Amino acid sequence: MRCEWCGEQGAKEVSSTVYWELPDGSRAIEIKETPGVKCDLCGMEYQAENTIQSLEDQLLLIDTLKIGSSTTFKILMKQPRLLKRNYFRYD
């Protein structure tokens, strides 16, 4: 897998803990077991753009008051949505 930061081969898929600010800016939450990428060559660890988009859309479309300060990626993505999709995304 090619690293998006340094462009070299050698990146691998990992599961990591990330901290994400809620769309309303009221607080940040811990999201465990989040899919990510880690490059042993440059040391960068990051989330792919599609994972970031999925997280941001989900947090925008669910009742965030029902989420505690910590959750897992799978549990977060299974939360019922108030809307079917993000109607503000035009792509």
Side-chain angles (χ1 to χ4, degrees), residues 29-62:
I29 60 170
E30 176 184 60
I31 308 170
K32 300 176 184 175
E33 302 171 19
T34 305
V37 178
K38 181 173 173 82
C39 178
D40 291 331
L41 296 172
C42 70
M44 187 58 96
E45 188 171 334
Y46 58 93
Q47 277 60 53
E49 188 62 36
N50 62 335
T51 301
I52 293 169
Q53 189 173 16
S54 294
L55 273 172
E56 290 180 349
D57 283 350
Q58 185 70 352
L59 289 171
L60 185 66
L61 298 173
I62 64 173

Side-chain angles (χ1 to χ4, degrees), residues 13-33:
E13 293 181 9
V14 295
S15 178
S16 58
T17 299
V18 297
Y19 300 88
W20 223 268
E21 184 176 356
L22 297 180
D24 65 2
S26 61
R27 62 190 171 110
I29 60 170
E30 176 184 60
I31 308 170
K32 300 176 184 175
E33 302 171 19

